[in-house]
Amino acid sequence: MHATRAIVAIENGRRILLGWALVAGCLTATAQGVRTPDGAPVAAGGARYLPPAQVQPGRYVLGINVRNTPTGVEIASVNPGGVGQRSGLEAGDVIVAVDGMQVGYVGGRLNDLGDEIARRVDGAGRVTLLVRNRRDGGLVQVPIQFNQATSRAVMGRILVQPGVAVPGSAVATIRVLDVTHPQWQNVAVVQGQSAVTALPLPYRIDLPVLPPQHRYAIDARIEDRGRLLAQMQAPVMLAAVDRDQQADLTLAAGAVPAVGPTPGLAPRDQVQRWIQTYLGRPVRPFETEIWLATLQRGRPLTDVQIGILSSNELFERQGRNRDAYVAEVFRLVYGALPNPAQYADLRARYDRAFGVRQRFVEDLLRQPR
């Protein structure tokens, strides 16, 4: 049975024009409304339609992937930042009815979720779903409020450079980041994950309403059981967050972590690699020269590594949280998340350093795991 994503498109109230498209490897149902020139809605199956030029481009998007069953429409996954997520829908929930009309397979025939929402949503973009809660099996009424009739999503493909082995158990993580200020680097406003079933991997991430004056970027990485396999060298900047846009994301092999500098690599190249790997962003103007000045004062190259790993920027990215910070430093240095015993040791080391991050990193590099 195919997984279907119910995407509902409504123009100025209730309009009906049904179509199907294959998007990101799953069958997607699209319902677009149509009115006659005098403003009267066209009934389903009616013969009068507006010419395409008169149909407005906006649409409401529910943002869920579903499976139709005889007991309702089961939610397979919820797109991050979409209307479904904001309304409290979760994977495993089953949508039984839309404003009292049963959906899914009814008497052996498909009563499509997208069709029913298109027919029953009111002029203010409101509709109510009857949902069987996955947690306790109870039935609950879930009000849905579509806001602006505009789809805001970033979509494209995740590509991996040759030579990277990606097992079937790998998971891709895609994040939209607010990069307005340096101390906000890698602050995720939306994050989604997907099993890597094939490469290139199609993706779509729905955006919430975001402050348009901020700057945003998108990045991705692939991991397998906590081990980094591939990552982007730098996030891709987004042109806008108020409309659909396309962005293919190319990942390179996750760097084989080294406790110290990479043998044979020039100091300038090593500093730039640490900035890109540890801070997940491009090198800023004059930043390399500032760090190289440390070497000119006779300090070893490992002091630059310690400085970047103990920087305020990296600490701020972890929400100034000790536990998140020590786990992230471990991951950056060793390319894997710490196990429970290592995690306890990291917290103990941090506490022994009295929260002085430079001491903590020095101790970790001097006495590795």
Side-chain angles (χ1 to χ4, degrees), residues 170-253:
V171 174
T173 300
I174 308 106
R175 304 181 302 167
V176 174
L177 312 168
D178 189 328
V179 295
T180 306
H181 302 291
Q183 64 269 30
W184 291 1
Q185 289 291 334
N186 286 338
V187 175
V189 294
V190 182
Q191 179 169 307
Q193 288 189 319
S194 174
V196 183
T197 55
L199 288 171
L201 176 68
Y203 78 91
R204 174 190 172 105
I205 188 162
D206 291 301
L207 301 177
V209 178
L210 296 169
Q213 68 273 23
H214 287 203
R215 294 185 297 116
Y216 301 93
I218 187 169
D219 76 354
R221 66 178 184 272
I222 294 177
E223 296 170 305
D224 181 36
R225 300 180 180 91
R227 182 170 61 92
L228 179 66
L229 302 179
Q231 63 183 350
M232 295 175 61
Q233 302 226 342
V236 172
M237 296 299 298
L238 298 178
V241 290
D242 59 352
R243 61 181 181 271
D244 286 351
Q245 57 192 297
Q246 193 85 14
D248 286 345
L249 310 177
T250 301
L251 282 61

Side-chain angles (χ1 to χ4, degrees), residues 2 21 28 194 293 340 351 354:
H2 292 289
T28 300
S194 174
D351 292 342
F354 300 101

